[in-house]
Amino acid sequence: TEETEGKLKWLEKCLHELSSEIRQIIVRYYQGEKREKIENRQKLADNLGIPQTALRNRAVRLRDKLEGCITN
């Protein structure tokens, strides 16, 4: 729909306002389906040297920031 397309354009704009490192974290966090997503998140946490709970908290904060950017 037009609304969805508009939100996707804003999401792309908001993502590009993030540093490349942060953008890569949030994109990688949501990549994959089911088991692949779980494995990707474990690898991402390992690469960052943080527990998965810390990664989850970081992703939630980033998602909230992106949602705020899109709605504003």
Side-chain angles (χ1 to χ4, degrees):
T1 66
E2 268 185 52
E3 182 181 351
T4 301
E5 287 180 23
K7 286 183 179 181
L8 283 173
K9 287 180 184 178
W10 275 105
L11 175 59
E12 288 176 10
K13 180 187 180 303
C14 294
L15 279 170
H16 285 286
E17 291 178 2
L18 300 173
S19 71
S20 61
E21 180 183 346
I22 299 300
R23 184 172 52 247
Q24 185 180 22
I25 289 170
I26 195 70
V27 169
R28 287 181 60 197
Y29 186 82
Y30 286 104
Q31 282 181 333
E33 295 289 327
K34 298 181 181 180
R35 185 73 192 155
E36 180 186 15
K37 184 182 279 187
I38 293 167
E39 290 170 359
N40 287 343
R41 289 178 180 179
Q42 182 61 56
K43 288 177 189 175
L44 181 57
D46 291 345
N47 289 342
L48 294 170
I50 60 175
Q52 278 194 306
T53 53
L55 175 62
R56 187 175 308 117
N57 291 336
R58 189 178 291 184
V60 167
R61 286 192 305 273
L62 287 169
R63 187 181 65 220
D64 289 345
K65 183 177 181 177
L66 286 170
E67 285 177 3
C69 177
I70 292 167
T71 57
N72 291 331

